[in-house]
Amino acid sequence: MVNSASEAQKKQSKIIAVILSLILPGLGQVYQRRRSRGTTIMLLAASAFLAVFWYRQPLWYIPIALFWIWNILDVLLEKPVTMIIPILLWLLVAYGIGIRVTEFKISALFKNQERASAVIQPMLKPRFLEKKYEKIEGWVFYQVPCSDNPPLPERMNASGIKVSISPACANINEFISVFAEGLWPNEPVTLYWYDTISATSGKWESVADNDGKVTFFFSIPPQALLNSTDPSQPTLHQPTVVQKREQQGYQFTITMKYLFQGIYETIALAFLATVLGAILAIPISFLAARNLMGSNPITLGIYFIVRTILNIFRSIESLIIAIIFVVIVGLGPFPGLLAITIHTIAALGKLYSEVIEGIDTGPIEAIKATGADWTQVVRFAVIPQIVPTFTALTIYRWDINVRSSTIIGFVGGGGIGFFLYQWILLGDYRSLSSAFIAIAVVVILLDFFSARLRERIR
């Protein structure tokens, strides 16, 4: 009689679990006191359903329905069903929706062969060397946008070229004419538009006539104010007329000059950011180590506050921080330095603190037993154990910072990334390819030497 009552109660319990699982996947398992399993099933089902509902992909409700059926079987059977099936169904939904959201199309790589060829072919001819040439140039300073009382364009006579421009000033997308004389007759002429920081934001080509004269007629490109800290304020730009004639032999291109400048800025930026970040991260890491700060409620509170701040700044990409500093201090390497330094402090502070938490506690207890205070414990029991690992982590962080520095320039933070951005805007894929090769060589060399240093330290 007791067995019959027990069987009936067990059957009733299963019915309730099935009903709850029909209402919400995982709820039946929670009712059966398999709480961790039930919670996992709930999270998997909820995230899959929300993704399908949000992105309106009805076809992917089928895996969710199969998930639901599996969930009911799991509460009915005596032995728990393997979790591999629901995980695979969840992954199927996640990847299926992900492919649709990211518009993953392999065919797009081969669809527009002309565009691909226009990008890839120039990149196969990096711009490192060029034939020697004789060069003449002339320029004029020009105000964009117009102020209330614009100054007359100041004509510069360089290399015998005289350049004039009309009207006296103009705004973005307004048409102007640039006249130059004193050129080599019947030779190609190029007009470059240099903006406020001498970056090229426009390029036009023509041929001088029999008298060595040429006129360019064009609208001022929107990129002319791209690097201006305040596009509404009038600034002086430098339209420059250039002629070149080939000579015997070869020479480094102007791209090489920019590459050396950009690479040097990138390495210097990464080095300074790493040194500053490491110096500032060391004292912070002691405050973020639980084994040093957990002795009383006050120091434990400091530990939680410092750890929280480190996690916040570590979670924000240095590129985002650089955008903020560009707005505050303007364009150039300095905002990039500040951004990478802050991210380095947060990252190294976290890594250093974990090293401190993993040290041998024997020396700490021995020093404490002598009546030493907190600073003495750190000096004699902690520092001797952490110096080699700290050094290795700092070198590794320098590797990371060099890579980060290459893209900081995309938001105006200086370094090689700044020139990369300019060449992409101008469609100069040969120079872009040269930069890729230079970056790869520098990163490989730095990686090799830093790896050797880390080996010696160990």
Side-chain angles (χ1 to χ4, degrees), residues 66-116:
L66 295 174
F67 187 102
W68 221 298
I69 293 169
W70 173 91
N71 156 72
I72 295 168
L73 290 174
D74 186 59
V75 298
L76 279 173
L77 299 175
E78 295 292 335
K79 293 183 178 180
V81 185
T82 176
M83 284 289 289
I84 293 176
I85 294 173
I87 290 172
L88 288 176
L89 289 170
W90 184 86
L91 288 173
L92 181 64
V93 173
Y95 280 103
I97 298 295
I99 287 171
R100 296 295 299 272
V101 169
T102 56
E103 299 180 2
F104 183 80
K105 296 177 183 177
I106 291 291
S107 59
L109 292 172
F110 310 98
K111 188 175 181 181
N112 197 329
Q113 295 184 0
E114 291 183 4
R115 184 185 301 173

Side-chain angles (χ1 to χ4, degrees), residues 130-152:
E130 64 183 358
K131 282 195 170 184
K132 283 187 177 180
Y133 58 83
E134 182 184 1
K135 174 181 172 183
I136 59 173
E137 64 180 1
W139 60 88
V140 61
F141 291 109
Y142 194 66
Q143 188 184 82
V144 178
C146 288
S147 62
D148 294 335
N149 296 304
L152 292 175

Side-chain angles (χ1 to χ4, degrees), residues 22-38:
L22 280 169
I23 296 170
L24 180 64
L27 198 58
Q29 285 81 354
V30 173
Y31 174 76
Q32 292 177 335
R33 297 183 179 179
R34 294 184 290 170
R35 292 183 180 86
S36 60
R37 187 181 183 90

Side-chain angles (χ1 to χ4, degrees), residues 286-290 292-306 374:
F286 289 101
L287 300 177
R290 191 176 187 121
L292 298 180
M293 301 296 291
S295 57
N296 63 70
I298 295 175
T299 55
L300 187 62
I302 295 172
Y303 159 79
F304 282 116
I305 292 170
V306 173
W374 186 84

Side-chain angles (χ1 to χ4, degrees), residues 82 110 144 198 219 232 304 324 329 362 366-367 376-377 379 400 404 429 441:
T82 176
F110 310 98
V144 178
S198 299
S219 62
S232 64
F304 282 116
I324 296 171
V329 303
I367 295 295
Q376 291 172 323
V377 170
R379 179 181 175 185
I400 296 173
S404 297
Y429 299 113
V441 169

Side-chain angles (χ1 to χ4, degrees), residues 148-189:
D148 294 335
N149 296 304
L152 292 175
E154 182 182 350
R155 183 171 64 182
M156 304 296 291
N157 299 330
S159 307
I161 300 177
K162 297 180 180 179
V163 182
S164 58
I165 191 168
S166 178
C169 70
N171 299 317
I172 293 298
N173 295 324
E174 290 185 355
F175 281 86
I176 63 171
S177 63
V178 176
F179 174 75
E181 57 184 333
L183 301 163
W184 296 319
N186 305 313
E187 293 281 349
V189 186

Side-chain angles (χ1 to χ4, degrees), residues 268-280 337 340-341 344 348 352 393-402:
L269 196 155
F271 179 74
L272 288 174
T274 304
V275 172
L276 289 173
I279 291 172
L280 295 173
L337 172 65
I340 296 178
T341 299
T344 299
L348 286 182
Y352 289 169
L393 287 173
T394 304
I395 295 170
Y396 178 66
R397 184 65 202 185
W398 185 45
D399 269 0
I400 296 173
N401 285 346
V402 170

